[in-house]
Amino acid sequence: MAGDSEPNENHVTSVDNSESLENKSEVSIDALARKVQESLSLAKRHKFWETQPVGQFNELGDTSLPEGPIEQPTPLSEVKQEPYNLPSPYEWITCDIDSEEVCAEVYNLLTNNYVEDDENMFRFNYSKEFLRWALRPPGYFRSWHIGVRVKSSKKLVAFITGIPARIRVRDTVVLMAEVNFLCVLKKLRSKRLAPVMIKEVTRRVHLENIWQAAYTAGVVLPTPVTTCQYWHRSLNPKKLIDVGFSRLGARMTMSRTIKLYKLSDQTATPGFRKMEPHDVPAVTRLLRNYLQQFAVAPDFGVDDVEHWLLPKEDVVESYLVESPETHEITDFCSFYSLHSSILGSQNHSVLKAAYSYYNVSTKTPLLQLMSDALIVAKKKDFDVFNALDVMHNETFLKELKFGPGDGKLHYYLYNYRLKHVLRSSELGLVLL
Ligand code: MYA
């Protein structure tokens, strides 16, 4: 998550060659090599994921395998009707995210236990309104919002969710579950609870006759369809440096850094304005057309655009360009608001981050559109603007002074094989 304003140094581990190997027999070198090989493959074994219908590491590069579902659906009557067994102190619950009380429990679990950066300096802090938005798209299933409680105390200790989505993979639109917010209380980690939770969400997705899923993770699992990198654009460089999110560049002073990241007060594009409800049909047309060019992208209808892209205070922001002459909607940009808790700072507790969502440029150059997005994000008091190198984002990142982050995000499909790993620019899907 943390972004560096200057590139990291490479620390190459070197082998000590001071003692010549010449006198040692080849056998012992062979044995050593085998040992290293074994320990490496042991470290890479995935006891759970090896049992799942996902592309496996040993299949990578095997283009004889067909693209598409790995396993065929089973008749619904054969889907297990009862939940999977949990260790005896725990019980399943279906979370009613509409309930203020349940939403607060989920919020607290995630705020204290969800994703952190590698150095444990920041932790995602999804707001309650964000969670409600993320978990209740058109056609959502309440049964896919799954919690685990301690039977005796009723404390919520784990969570996982799915939401339905139509995702196009090349020419085929596949009904999928987008799985997110997998979280186990810190104290209960490494007890193999996650595989049970994944199996339970899979069972509940199967009960709705859906057999594929999409998800992202910071960890490498069998096997990513693509790997993306986060880029960060400082909006409030002083705060970012104060809290250790970024570092002062070499030969830079604070005042030069502030000047470097300064943005204009006014957006530049004539006709640039906030999206309104009456724009939904035009934005749907624009977005559908645009997403067509990517290998994997959502198949958004008007209801999806209304839900995912109509501005919602402190959750999602969308702007578009309406031609002053023709009143045609020609371009669109959006970002969502996802703050992080700052774990060790005296002066600040929240890092306010805007995340680039879906952007479409047909008339306004993408660079100019995103420059305007930065200006409105700065006005709304965000500290940083984040973007993945998906879609055409690479064309504006460097020029708009984004710096590469140290985190990678891997995208996965469940029960759907792609013949080739995708470049991140071939991906048209942003998961929250
Ligand atoms: S990504 C966000 C994940 N959440 C966090 O990073 C929050 C902080 N971490 C935690 O809460 C825990 O560390 C979690 C693991 C819960 C992540 N995705 O119980 P364990 C595998 C998938 O002993 P714990 C998101 O939400 C791991 O490789 N698998 O481990 C998308 C090992 O399996 P294997 C993961 O640390 C989630 C096993 O779990 C992940 O206590 C998509 C160890 O289990 C991960 N992020 O708990 C889920 N991390 O031995 C898949 C570890 O094989 C959905 N593991 O290596 C699949 C589609 C399902 C629907 C299908 C429908 C058709």
Side-chain angles (χ1 to χ4, degrees), residues 130-170:
F130 191 110
L131 290 171
R132 290 213 171 96
W133 171 68
L135 294 177
R136 295 185 311 180
Y140 79 94
F141 300 99
R142 226 182 61 154
S143 60
W144 294 7
H145 303 162
I146 307 172
V148 173
R149 282 192 198 286
V150 177
K151 280 184 197 156
S152 55
S153 65
K154 302 292 171 211
K155 182 182 161 82
L156 184 70
V157 294
F159 190 60
I160 190 169
T161 66
I163 51 167
R166 287 184 316 279
I167 310 257
R168 182 183 49 74
V169 185
R170 302 194 200 281

Side-chain angles (χ1 to χ4, degrees), residues 46-49 113-115 179-184 189-195 198 201-202 205-206 211-213 215-217 219 221 414:
H46 292 282
K47 273 184 85 179
F48 168 66
W49 281 108
N113 300 275
Y114 201 50
V115 178
V179 178
N180 202 351
F181 304 114
L182 167 60
C183 184
V184 168
R189 298 273 168 89
S190 304
K191 296 180 188 297
R192 312 298 299 179
L193 259 181
I198 295 167
V201 76
T202 303
V205 171
H206 285 169
W211 305 85
Q212 271 73 34
Y215 50 104
T216 57
V219 291
L221 306 164
Y414 183 95

Side-chain angles (χ1 to χ4, degrees), residues 58-78:
N58 60 10
E59 298 168 358
L60 277 175
D62 183 349
T63 49
S64 68
L65 295 166
E67 190 147 310
I70 296 168
E71 284 177 3
Q72 291 310 309
T74 56
L76 282 186
S77 58
E78 284 172 25

Side-chain angles (χ1 to χ4, degrees), residues 292-306:
Q292 213 52 48
Q293 65 191 300
F294 303 105
V296 174
D299 180 63
F300 280 147
V302 281
D303 292 353
D304 306 300
V305 168
E306 185 177 336

Side-chain angles (χ1 to χ4, degrees), residues 7-67:
N8 281 331
E9 261 180 51
N10 270 327
H11 295 283
V12 181
T13 318
S14 58
V15 180
D16 183 3
N17 276 330
S18 54
E19 202 186 322
S20 165
L21 291 176
E22 266 173 357
N23 298 332
K24 298 190 176 161
S25 76
E26 274 185 35
V27 182
S28 68
I29 293 174
D30 265 3
L32 192 66
R34 235 189 348 264
K35 271 222 158 97
V36 171
Q37 202 73 68
E38 269 168 26
S39 67
L40 279 177
S41 57
L42 210 64
K44 278 195 203 132
R45 295 226 30 207
H46 292 282
K47 273 184 85 179
F48 168 66
W49 281 108
E50 280 169 14
T51 67
Q52 298 299 298
V54 292
Q56 299 295 334
F57 287 116
N58 60 10
E59 298 168 358
L60 277 175
D62 183 349
T63 49
S64 68
L65 295 166
E67 190 147 310

